[in-house]
């Protein structure tokens, strides 16, 4: 009895263990994804790719002490003649920027990530998700490990494509697993925690990418970042393969209520419900508008992720903001994720799915103005306004996917997530490549303002419009007297719903 009781208690913690396991795996995948943004300068110097510029090479000097700021010089000859008290303080070298970097950071990753993500979404609806997720984790972990061995630019491009193929399965597969493990009143919070792995990954990338190359342990420089991430990832991949089990698939949200008007119409007519396909789902106006809004918001986030470290290094070369960026993205971002999930879960019981979209619209609207401040102001106020913006901005990702899985049928849930990510990442993940050509026309700071803070504001408007296409709260079905014309026309009470409907994941059970 003791062992049985202990086993029951341990089983109660299993779903939280799964959340932790897949979240850590996602964080490591995203760390590998975003390390290129924080190691790009030293990586470019080693592999010789991207643009060159005049840069400060004396860390003990402040910009106010310099007769000419290095970054304002566009000539190699002039750059190398700048001196202070007879000592050169500038160098002409690779800066980690340019179209080579933007391709490496964005399209080289996203081209594979989005296509394979759709394929794995379809696979997830038909096969064992736990096993497929294990294989995906092993693939992207090995790719990250091998990135530390590259000697050519194209090696890095190829391995980022392999990593993208493996990591593309994490979101649709883990989202489906977590959705089946957790009830509705915890769903937005759980998915927010999981999807925060994106921001946790690139938040950790700031100190890892900045400081580990400087240590140059074993003469490995930036390569040690990838080796360390890969070794930890192998441990997570093994645990995923050995301990992750496939949960029972359950219907949720609108489908789980069994009370939609379309369902009633078919039942009353004595007809069989038509089979739902992915095309029936994705052509709905609410899905299309939600996807467009998410894509625009994603572009804002990716622009910041790919350019934050390089931007602050470029504009404030004499100020070390690595730990500030880590504290804001990981610390403040974590609080925002939790608050957004809790607010959404508390309101959804009263207002329905529409309330989740309202939280999205308001949070992104509030985040927009301080996002502009994080680009306009100097180092101190840039970090303060970034923290304010980040608190509200990071509420979005988990809530979007909580909405998505609740408005699509079980039979195509993972496929829909895969298609949604395909569109969102192709738009939001590739648009930041325009930062480079636009910056050459109007300036780097101005380009960041448009594609980062500006797109926050646009997304808030689109989320607000999406709200009007969503249903309100789902009403509890009324029990009625069984009809006399057979079992098929019987009106079930909620507690008597057939087994195909999950009774532990519907809204009404949690009221």
């Amino acid at each position: 009895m003791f062992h049985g009781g202990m086993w029951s208690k341990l089983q109660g913690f299993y779903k939280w263990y799964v959340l932790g396991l897949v979240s850590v795996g996602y964080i490591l995948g995203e760390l590998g994804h975003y390390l290129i943004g924080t190691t790009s300068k030293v990586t470019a110097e080693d592999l010789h790719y991207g643009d060159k510029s005049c840069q400060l090479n004396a860390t003990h000097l402040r910009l106010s002490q310099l007769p000419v700021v290095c970054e304002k010089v566009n000539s190699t000859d002039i750059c190398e003649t700048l001196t202070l008290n007879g000592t050169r303080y500038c160098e002409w070298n690779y800066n980690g920027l340019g179209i080579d970097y933007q391709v490496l950071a964005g399209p080289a990753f996203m081209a594979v990530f989005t296509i394979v993500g759709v394929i794995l979404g379809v696979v997830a609806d038909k096969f064992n998700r736990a096993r497929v997720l294990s294989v995906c984790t092993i693939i992207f972990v090995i790719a990250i490990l091998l990135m530390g061995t590259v000697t050519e630019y194209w090696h890095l491009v190829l391995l980022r494509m392999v990593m993208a193929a493996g990591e593309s399965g994490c979101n649709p597969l883990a989202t489906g697993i977590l959705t089946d493990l957790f009830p509705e009143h915890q769903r937005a919070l759980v998915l927010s925690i999981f999807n925060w792995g994106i921001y946790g990954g690139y938040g950790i990338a700031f100190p890892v990418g900045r400081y580990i190359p400087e240590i140059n342990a074993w003469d490995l420089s930036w390569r040690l970042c990838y080796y360390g991430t890969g070794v930890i990832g192998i441990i997570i991949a093994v645990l995923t393969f050995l301990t992750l089990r496939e949960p029972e698939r359950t219907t949720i949200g609108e489908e789980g209520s069994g009370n939609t008007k379309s369902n009633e119409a078919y039942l009353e007519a004595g007809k069989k419900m038509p089979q739902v396909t992915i095309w029936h789902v994705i052509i709905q106006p609410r899905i299309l508008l939600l996807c467009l809004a998410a894509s625009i918001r994603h572009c804002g986030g990716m622009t910041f992720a790919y350019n934050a470290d390089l931007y602050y290094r470029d504009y404030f070369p004499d100020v070390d903001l690595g730990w500030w960026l880590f504290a804001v993205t990981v610390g403040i971002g974590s609080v925002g994720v939790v608050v957004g999930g809790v607010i959404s879960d508390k309101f959804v019981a009263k207002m329905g799915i529409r309330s989740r979209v309202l939280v999205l619209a308001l949070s992104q609207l509030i985040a927009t103005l301080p996002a502009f401040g994080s680009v306009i102001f100097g180092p101190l106020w840039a970090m303060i306004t970034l923290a304010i913006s980040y608190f509200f901005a990071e509420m979005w990702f988990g809530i979007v996917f909580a909405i998505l899985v609740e408005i699509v049928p079980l039979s195509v849930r993972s496929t829909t997530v895969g298609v949604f990510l395909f569109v969102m990442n192709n738009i939001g993940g590739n648009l930041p490549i325009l930062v480079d050509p636009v910056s050459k026309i109007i300036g780097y700071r101005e380009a960041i303002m448009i594609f980062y803070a500006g797109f926050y504001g646009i997304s808030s408007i689109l989320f607000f419009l999406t709200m009007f296409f969503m249903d309100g709260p789902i009403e509890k079905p009324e029990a009625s007297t069984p009809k006399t014309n057979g079992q098929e026309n019987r009106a079930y009470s909620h507690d008597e719903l057939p087994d195909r409907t999950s009774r532990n994941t519907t809204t009404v059970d949690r009221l």
Side-chain angles (χ1 to χ4, degrees):
M1 182 175 294
F2 172 77
H3 294 291
M6 285 296 294
W7 178 245
S8 298
K9 291 180 180 179
L10 290 175
Q11 284 185 314
F13 288 105
Y14 174 74
K15 63 181 181 181
W16 296 103
Y17 164 77
V18 171
L19 173 60
L21 183 66
V22 298
S23 297
V24 171
Y26 201 25
I27 288 172
L28 290 171
E30 290 301 289
L31 175 57
H33 176 190
Y34 291 113
L35 269 176
I36 191 61
T38 55
T39 63
S40 185
K41 185 179 183 300
V42 64
T43 305
E45 291 173 357
D46 190 2
L47 301 182
H48 299 168
Y49 67 82
D51 292 348
K52 289 184 176 181
S53 67
C54 190
Q55 305 164 56
L56 181 68
N57 67 353
T59 56
H60 64 283
L61 296 176
R62 301 188 66 82
L63 294 184
S64 58
Q65 297 176 273
L66 306 180
V68 178
V69 177
C70 304
E71 284 69 19
K72 293 184 178 180
V73 176
N74 295 319
S75 166
T76 307
D77 295 334
I78 297 175
C79 177
E80 294 177 348
T81 60
L82 295 176
T83 61
L84 180 66
N85 299 326
T87 303
R88 283 177 48 189
Y89 60 87
C90 293
E91 65 175 354
W92 188 265
N93 205 344
Y94 291 96
N95 60 11
L97 290 168
I99 195 65
D100 285 348
Y101 166 69
Q102 296 295 344
V103 169
L104 184 63
F109 181 89
M110 289 300 174
V112 177
F113 184 87
T114 53
I115 294 172
V116 178
V118 174
I119 296 172
L120 290 176
V122 176
V123 169
D125 284 325
K126 300 180 181 298
F127 299 99
N128 187 302
R129 295 166 295 182
R131 284 289 169 264
V132 178
L133 180 58
S134 301
V135 173
C136 288
T137 305
I138 292 170
I139 290 172
F140 79 70
V141 162
I142 292 175
I144 292 173
L145 193 64
L146 291 177
M147 282 183 199
T149 68
V150 301
T151 56
E152 300 286 344
Y153 171 76
W154 69 267
H155 296 165
L156 201 55
V157 173
L158 181 62
L159 284 171
R160 279 184 65 79
M161 295 172 73
V162 174
M163 180 183 71
E167 194 185 345
S168 65
C170 288
N171 200 302
L173 292 163
T175 296
I177 290 171
L178 294 173
T179 298
D180 288 336
L181 284 174
F182 287 89
E184 183 184 61
H185 74 281
Q186 296 174 329
R187 194 168 297 133
L189 174 60
V190 167
L191 293 181
S192 292
I193 292 172
F194 168 73
N195 284 289
W196 174 82
I198 293 177
Y199 307 103
Y202 84 71
I204 296 171
F206 286 119
V208 170
R210 276 188 177 229
Y211 306 126
I212 288 182
E214 292 178 359
I215 296 173
N216 198 25
W218 303 289
D219 200 30
L220 291 174
S221 184
W222 60 272
R223 301 175 187 274
L224 186 59
C225 302
Y226 292 96
Y227 288 145
T229 303
V231 169
I232 297 173
I234 288 174
I235 298 173
I236 297 300
V238 171
L239 287 175
T240 302
F241 182 81
L242 294 178
T243 64
L244 191 62
R245 302 192 304 269
E246 173 75 356
E248 181 182 357
R249 300 179 190 241
T250 58
T251 56
I252 61 174
E254 292 178 355
E255 185 183 27
S257 71
N259 193 36
T260 61
K261 293 180 181 180
S262 59
N263 286 354
E264 291 177 349
Y266 277 97
L267 289 173
E268 289 178 3
K271 298 179 180 179
K272 184 179 180 180
M273 284 288 293
Q275 184 177 2
V276 178
T277 68
I278 182 63
W279 304 113
H280 290 125
V281 173
I282 63 175
I283 62 172
Q284 297 177 51
R286 60 182 181 175
I287 298 288
L288 294 174
L289 196 52
L290 181 67
C291 189
L292 177 61
S295 300
I296 297 299
R297 171 57 184 82
H298 196 47
C299 176
M302 292 299 98
T303 298
F304 180 81
Y306 290 148
N307 293 279
D309 189 71
L310 294 167
Y311 170 81
Y312 289 118
R313 282 179 189 263
D314 191 33
Y315 279 86
F316 313 120
D318 58 334
V319 181
D320 186 355
L321 295 175
W323 287 112
W324 275 91
L325 291 168
F326 169 77
V328 169
T329 52
V330 175
I332 304 299
S334 300
V335 178
V337 163
V338 173
V339 170
V342 170
I343 290 175
S344 177
D345 284 333
K346 292 296 183 183
F347 284 176
V348 74
K350 297 180 180 179
M351 295 176 58
I353 296 173
R354 188 178 296 163
S355 68
R356 296 202 196 276
V357 190
L358 178 61
V359 173
L360 279 174
L362 291 177
S363 63
Q364 302 315 298
L365 179 63
I366 296 170
T368 299
L369 191 58
F372 277 106
S374 68
V375 182
I376 295 172
F377 296 133
L380 177 60
W381 279 101
M383 292 298 101
I384 292 173
T385 52
L386 178 63
I388 297 170
S389 175
Y390 225 74
F391 176 82
F392 293 99
E394 299 321 304
M395 295 181 179
W396 85 283
F397 210 97
I399 301 176
V400 163
F401 285 94
I403 293 168
L404 187 64
V405 298
E406 289 178 356
I407 62 176
V408 300
L410 169 64
S411 59
V412 291
R413 185 188 299 159
S414 293
T415 304
T416 304
V417 172
V419 172
F420 193 92
L421 285 168
F422 173 83
V423 177
M424 189 181 80
N425 284 308
N426 266 295
I427 297 175
N430 289 321
L431 271 180
I433 197 175
L434 297 177
V435 169
D436 182 66
V438 171
S439 68
K440 287 179 169 59
I441 299 172
I442 64 175
Y444 190 35
R445 170 176 277 160
E446 290 74 14
I448 296 297
M449 288 172 62
I450 292 172
F451 289 97
Y452 159 46
F455 275 37
Y456 274 19
I458 296 172
S459 73
S460 69
I461 297 172
L462 293 174
F463 281 130
F464 183 75
L465 295 176
T466 306
M467 183 178 67
F468 295 100
F469 290 86
M470 296 293 177
D471 294 334
I474 300 172
E475 299 294 335
K476 182 175 179 177
E478 294 289 340
S480 59
T481 305
K483 297 181 181 180
T484 58
N485 59 344
Q487 182 69 21
E488 292 81 2
N489 290 331
R490 179 185 174 192
Y492 291 90
S493 68
H494 186 266
D495 290 334
E496 296 174 321
L497 286 173
D499 290 340
R500 65 178 177 83
T501 301
S502 171
R503 293 193 294 143
N504 65 345
T505 55
T506 55
T507 305
V508 290
D509 277 326
R510 301 301 172 188
L511 294 179

